[in-house]
Amino acid sequence: MLYELRIYDMHPGKLQAIKDRFRDHVIELFAKHEMKITLFWEDQDEAKERLYYVVEHADMEQRNLNYDRFRNDPEWIEVKRVSELDGPLVKKQESIFMKDVSFFQNNK
C-alpha cells in the first residue's frame, strides 16, 4: 500500500471553499476513480490556511493512472472551473509518499 499525504497551502480566504469542494464533489469523484481518502486535517494555526489529507493507493503506477483519469474527468473539469471563478483556491500543493513499516501493526 502507498499512502500519499497531500498538503495544500491555500490562497488567502480560500480554505472554506476547498473544504466545500471536497465535501460536495471531490471525495465522491476520487471514489469514482478508485482513490480512497482516509483522513483530513486542517492546520491548527488558522492563519496558515493549510489543508492536509491522505489518499491510499495500491502502488505508484495505480496512483498515476487514477489521477490521470480524475484530472481528465469532465465532471472534475467543470467542478474546478466553477469553484475557481473568483480565482484559484490552491497556492501550492505538496505530496509526500509513505509506506507501512514492518514493526508496527495497527489494531483497527
Side-chain angles (χ1 to χ4, degrees):
M1 185 68 62
L2 176 70
Y3 302 93
E4 181 180 5
L5 171 61
R6 294 178 65 89
I7 304 166
Y8 289 0
D9 288 299
M10 309 308 301
H11 284 288
K14 301 292 187 173
L15 183 59
Q16 187 58 51
I18 195 88
K19 292 191 304 185
D20 292 346
R21 185 164 80 182
F22 270 101
R23 182 194 66 223
D24 298 340
H25 304 285
V26 176
I27 293 171
E28 185 177 308
L29 281 167
F30 270 24
K32 174 182 171 183
H33 295 289
E34 301 177 24
M35 295 187 294
K36 179 183 176 187
I37 298 174
T38 57
L39 293 167
F40 268 100
W41 303 269
E42 57 186 287
D43 207 292
Q44 177 68 29
D45 180 354
E46 293 178 9
K48 289 187 179 177
E49 295 193 72
R50 189 177 287 159
L51 184 72
Y52 309 83
Y53 64 100
V54 173
V55 184
E56 290 183 3
H57 309 283
D59 54 38
M60 186 62 78
E61 181 180 359
Q62 193 63 48
R63 179 242 182 229
N64 292 339
L65 289 171
N66 291 345
Y67 268 111
D68 283 344
R69 288 196 308 256
F70 169 76
R71 288 184 187 115
N72 292 299
D73 186 314
E75 186 178 352
W76 162 244
I77 293 167
E78 180 63 9
V79 163
K80 185 176 188 318
R81 184 191 72 76
V82 169
S83 66
E84 296 187 350
L85 287 173
D86 293 328
L89 306 183
V90 179
K91 179 173 34 177
K92 176 185 163 196
Q93 188 270 318
E94 177 183 3
S95 287
I96 298 170
F97 297 98
M98 305 169 292
K99 62 182 183 176
D100 290 324
V101 293
S102 61
F103 63 84
F104 183 77
Q105 298 296 316
N106 191 353
N107 295 323
K108 288 184 180 178

